[in-house]
Amino acid sequence: MLLALWRLSPYFLTASNLLNIGSQISMIAVISIGATAVILMAEIDLSVGSVAALAGAITAGVLHGIPTSWPAGLWLGVALVAGLGVGTLAGLINGFFTVYLSIPSFIVTLATLSIGRGLVLLYTGGRPISNLGESFAQISWGHIGLLPVPVVIMLGLYLLAWLFLRETQLGRYIYAIGTNKRAVELAGVNVRTIELGIFTLGGAFSGLAGIMLTSRLDSAQPTAGTGWELVAIAAVVLGGTSLYGGRGSVAKTLVGAFILQIIANGMNLLNIQAYWQQIAQGSIILLALLVERQLRRHGGG
Amino acid sequence: MEKSQIARQGEDKVLMELRGISKRFGGVVALSQVQLVIYPGEVISLVGDNGAGKSTLIKIIAGAYQPDEGEIRFEGHRVRLRTPRVAKTLGIETVYQDLALVDTLDVAGNIFLGREPTRLRLGPGLHILDKCRMEQDAEAILHRLGIRFASVRNKVEQLSGGQRQAVAVGRAIFSEPKLVVLDEPTAALAVREVEHVLELIRSLRAEGIAVIFISHTLQEVFAVTDRIIVLRKGKTVGNLSTKETSIDEVVKLMVGQERSLVADNRAG
């Protein structure tokens, strides 16, 4: 497909376009880290887009409230704390309802998706909050060496997540919980705390993505992040992680996110209407589920 | 009955003793005045029809249920098995029928689930796994049981039923238990694999570990046990030395043609 796109539009495979893709996917990719962990535990988080939007809006609101005389570092610090705080709190709420009140995460996060979006509209009055200052824009437009900051954030977090899931005890429990929760409980592991922690971490990643998007647009849009839950799930399943839990890899989720964006970019370069992208994402999820169903039936696992 | 038995065993120390155990669920009497004695390194079996009280009794031994009446002694001390954890701490490991294995983890990962060796502790939960040690120790444990796997890195879902049992037993003996309870370990196995599990039980006995083996197949029970306890309608109706009894006699006790007095006198 890469080759096909390159033949159709030679601009496609240039380094600058690849870095551009990297920046574009960084937000979805960051969210997809949390989504991978949640899905590995055989749970789901549909609220990621709303939480990102809420975190972005509150970050923007807080930034407007800070005197311009404050040093740039403090500015950034306050913005990050606000956005990450909102995300973490939202994740904690998702986790609490799912884990301690035993409500399916599908329903809990569908509800918080709606609540989150409502709060964003309420907080912004339906209008974007813009002009957030030069230093805040650096989160999305700055460079570290040759690499854009969002690409560095993304790659750094993926490396950490990959090591975490592969090499740590907790990472192993996340896979095990998604396969046979009762067995892990019987082994004396505090499953509930781990589940709560992962939902919370997922919320924090959504918050970070919200900050990155707001910085990128220099504006908190009331409709920001709409439909992100589907893109994130598509990236996760395209990376081969099972929606039934217990199997998958976060590194491949990054590949999944890349492929999705390449499809989108390719469609743009070929002048295909953007609406088709949504159709493609939905179809990818259905297709992945079908493939896995067949594999389970015939492979015995 | 107990006294004569203990006297007969002479110098042998009793590992675990249950006296007058009763358990009711609502109005239903599941167990009534059950007696059970097990010695170190002894393999016994609980047999009885469905509803005779086997699984209730196992769960009491495992610490999952509390008896309404009666006394449990372990290594001479009176104990209360309030939780499965308490039982485990004393040295009682139970391998349940549904095994509680994690299919997507490898053999080593399952043997060490919940107690993985780590080599670096970076913070709460961020312990780096010592996979080398895990694999070596897992191989050592399986070797003790006389089992060879192609690799302890194989995922459990790729194993046969008998191999899965071996992993579950390997998991149980890691903590050096004194008593292992095996709840129908042969129930879902091919005939060829049953022999492997029986062999597994013999290696436990060779290590001095006592085993309570539950099976619906009396041939298996006779092939591997030293003693057979027969339960019927929540009561102990037989306590027989495997060498001195027959399938016929056990079946008669299970279904209720009384010979329990004779059987009790011969027990030991």
Side-chain angles (χ1 to χ4, degrees):
Chain A
M1 186 175 67
L2 283 171
L3 274 177
L5 284 168
W6 179 70
R7 287 205 35 195
L8 287 164
S9 172
Y11 170 72
F12 185 76
L13 266 186
T14 60
S16 74
N17 192 39
L18 285 180
L19 281 182
N20 190 23
I21 291 177
S23 289
Q24 284 171 346
I25 66 165
S26 59
M27 296 152 290
I28 282 293
V30 164
I31 282 185
S32 303
I33 295 173
T36 306
V38 168
I39 289 172
L40 279 175
M41 297 191 313
E43 302 285 350
I44 196 92
D45 184 354
L46 299 176
S47 71
V48 290
S50 295
V51 171
L54 186 61
I58 289 181
T59 304
V62 168
L63 283 174
H64 270 190
I66 302 176
T68 40
S69 54
W70 284 21
L74 200 58
W75 256 67
L76 281 179
V78 170
L80 281 172
V81 168
L84 286 176
V86 169
T88 305
L89 188 66
L92 202 62
I93 292 170
N94 282 337
F96 178 77
F97 277 91
T98 304
V99 178
Y100 290 96
L101 303 182
S102 303
I103 304 170
S105 52
F106 179 82
I107 302 297
V108 171
T109 58
L110 190 61
T112 51
L113 175 152
S114 174
I115 294 168
R117 185 62 63 188
L119 288 173
V120 174
L121 292 168
L122 213 63
Y123 184 75
T124 60
R127 287 177 299 275
I129 305 175
S130 305
N131 298 323
L132 304 170
E134 191 52 39
S135 48
F136 183 64
Q138 291 301 310
I139 293 175
S140 274
W141 297 107
H143 281 72
I144 296 174
L146 286 174
L147 297 174
V149 175
V151 173
V152 175
I153 294 175
M154 172 180 79
L155 293 179
L157 289 177
Y158 266 90
L159 183 66
L160 286 178
W162 181 72
L163 287 172
F164 169 73
L165 285 171
R166 248 182 87 92
E167 299 297 331
T168 70
Q169 202 174 25
L170 255 182
R172 175 162 290 231
Y173 293 157
I174 288 167
Y175 283 91
I177 288 169
T179 309
N180 187 349
K181 197 196 282 197
R182 205 178 132 253
V184 186
E185 279 166 348
L186 280 176
V189 177
N190 194 340
V191 170
R192 287 178 152 195
T193 309
I194 296 174
E195 287 177 322
L196 184 70
I198 293 302
F199 272 104
T200 307
L201 204 62
F205 281 127
S206 300
L208 179 59
I211 295 171
M212 290 161 75
L213 179 68
T214 307
S215 160
R216 186 178 172 83
L217 303 175
D218 190 26
S219 168
Q221 301 283 336
T223 56
T226 308
W228 275 10
E229 60 284 342
L230 220 75
V231 189
I233 294 167
V236 173
V237 298
L238 207 57
T241 295
S242 164
L243 280 173
Y244 300 99
R247 294 158 216 272
S249 139
V250 74
K252 290 181 192 156
T253 297
L254 183 58
V255 176
F258 235 95
I259 293 173
L260 280 178
Q261 189 61 39
I262 286 170
I263 293 172
N265 272 31
M267 285 175 160
N268 287 345
L269 289 171
L270 300 175
N271 280 323
I272 298 170
Q273 267 188 318
Y275 308 129
W276 283 104
Q277 290 172 22
Q278 289 195 15
I279 295 171
Q281 280 156 14
S283 309
I284 284 168
I285 294 177
L286 280 181
L287 204 67
L289 283 171
L290 270 179
V291 168
E292 183 171 1
R293 209 174 100 105
Q294 289 308 106
L295 285 178
R296 285 203 160 208
R297 213 177 257 173
H298 299 297
Chain B
M1 177 181 107
E2 262 68 37
K3 279 196 182 110
S4 65
Q5 211 171 62
I6 291 163
R8 188 110 52 100
Q9 294 272 346
E11 67 276 24
D12 273 2
K13 269 172 64 185
V14 173
L15 176 66
M16 190 180 197
E17 182 174 2
L18 276 66
R19 287 183 190 164
I21 297 292
S22 298
K23 177 76 183 171
R24 284 174 291 275
F25 295 102
V28 181
V29 178
L31 294 175
S32 165
Q33 294 295 314
V34 166
Q35 314 286 339
L36 181 77
V37 177
I38 184 160
Y39 294 89
E42 188 184 32
V43 179
I44 70 167
S45 187
L46 297 176
V47 300
D49 232 341
N50 287 333
K54 285 175 303 195
S55 39
T56 308
L57 189 55
I58 290 173
K59 284 186 173 139
I60 286 174
I61 292 170
Y65 287 166
Q66 307 307 307
D68 297 324
E69 280 168 39
E71 185 181 320
I72 300 175
R73 299 181 83 87
F74 197 83
E75 296 189 304
H77 302 286
R78 190 168 177 177
V79 292
R80 268 192 63 215
L81 307 175
R82 276 174 289 114
T83 64
R85 190 154 277 248
V86 172
K88 277 186 187 187
T89 314
L90 285 173
I92 304 169
E93 285 281 345
T94 307
V95 180
Y96 288 105
Q97 198 176 350
D98 49 9
L99 290 174
L101 297 180
V102 177
D103 279 348
T104 53
L105 291 186
D106 61 11
V107 170
N110 268 284
I111 287 177
F112 286 96
L113 183 65
R115 53 191 176 203
E116 293 81 358
T118 54
R119 54 193 160 91
L120 190 60
R121 306 199 151 207
L122 299 175
L126 294 178
H127 309 327
I128 308 294
L129 294 169
D130 190 342
K131 290 183 185 171
C132 270
R133 219 185 96 201
M134 238 162 99
E135 282 162 20
Q136 281 168 9
D137 289 2
E139 264 166 23
I141 284 172
L142 293 172
H143 186 71
R144 254 173 73 185
L145 292 171
I147 299 155
R148 275 280 155 82
F149 281 137
S151 165
V152 290
R153 283 187 211 165
N154 280 346
K155 286 189 175 176
V156 161
E157 66 193 349
Q158 297 161 345
L159 304 181
S160 70
Q163 290 174 318
R164 290 168 65 89
Q165 282 295 340
V167 175
V169 172
R171 202 175 136 59
I173 67 160
F174 175 76
S175 54
E176 305 292 338
K178 291 164 182 146
L179 170 64
V180 173
V181 181
L182 299 172
D183 183 15
E184 301 200 22
T186 54
L189 296 191
V191 179
R192 183 174 49 82
E193 290 202 315
V194 168
E195 189 45 46
H196 291 305
V197 172
L198 298 185
E199 206 45 56
L200 218 56
I201 294 173
R202 291 185 191 111
S203 12
L204 291 179
R205 173 168 49 197
E207 294 222 353
I209 300 171
V211 178
I212 299 180
F213 169 55
I214 313 294
S215 169
H216 278 295
T217 313
L218 287 177
Q219 282 81 0
E220 293 169 14
V221 171
F222 273 81
V224 79
T225 59
D226 301 309
R227 208 147 50 82
I228 300 170
I229 312 293
V230 188
L231 291 176
R232 183 157 50 84
K233 293 178 183 168
K235 294 193 172 84
T236 21
V237 294
N239 178 353
L240 312 149
S241 164
T242 307
K243 277 191 205 123
E244 296 165 18
T245 184
S246 63
I247 290 188
D248 194 39
E249 185 177 24
V250 169
V251 169
K252 277 180 182 158
L253 285 171
M254 281 168 66
V255 299
Q257 293 174 27
E258 298 289 347
R259 283 191 57 196
S260 60
L261 281 176
V262 183
D264 278 354
N265 288 339
R266 281 178 21 186

